[in-house]
């Protein structure tokens, strides 16, 4: 894998890894800014607020995969 070529990658925080991913996408795709409709941002922010109030209300990744792909999801 490519990440083995970057030994210091594991020392980065999650936020630093996100920033690195963003920088790589910008470099590869030439995308500097992606516009997201305000209604979509509002919906996402509402979902984050709902999760903060009741974090147990969500589904695990395993549950989501099973719903989407059925029992054969692995």
């Amino acid at each position: 894998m490519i990440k083995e070529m970057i030994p210091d990658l594991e020392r980065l925080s999650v936020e630093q890894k996100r920033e690195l991913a963003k920088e790589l996408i910008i470099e590869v795709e030439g995308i500097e800014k992606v516009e997201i409709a305000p209604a979509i941002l509002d919906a996402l922010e509402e979902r984050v607020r709902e999760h903060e109030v009741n974090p147990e209300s969500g589904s695990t990744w395993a549950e989501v995969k099973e719903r989407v792909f059925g029992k054969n999801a692995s």
Side-chain angles (χ1 to χ4, degrees):
M1 288 183 80
I2 292 176
K3 71 180 194 177
E4 280 81 27
M5 297 171 61
I6 310 169
D8 290 338
L9 188 62
E10 290 183 22
R11 296 189 335 193
L12 296 177
S13 69
V14 171
E15 190 56 40
Q16 289 170 320
K17 289 177 184 177
R18 286 185 180 133
E19 185 63 30
L20 174 60
K22 185 170 83 173
E23 289 176 13
L24 289 171
I25 290 169
I26 289 169
E27 182 177 321
V28 171
E29 302 295 332
I31 300 170
E32 292 203 27
K33 187 175 181 184
V34 175
E35 293 295 325
I36 300 174
I40 293 173
L41 286 175
D42 291 344
L44 291 171
E45 289 172 359
E46 177 61 25
R47 289 182 182 189
V48 168
R49 283 191 296 275
E50 289 173 6
H51 173 72
E52 289 171 343
V53 170
N54 187 5
E56 300 299 318
S57 67
S59 300
T60 67
W61 177 235
E63 292 166 337
V64 172
K65 284 195 311 187
E66 186 171 324
R67 279 198 309 267
V68 173
F69 300 110
K71 298 231 181 251
N72 296 328
S74 51

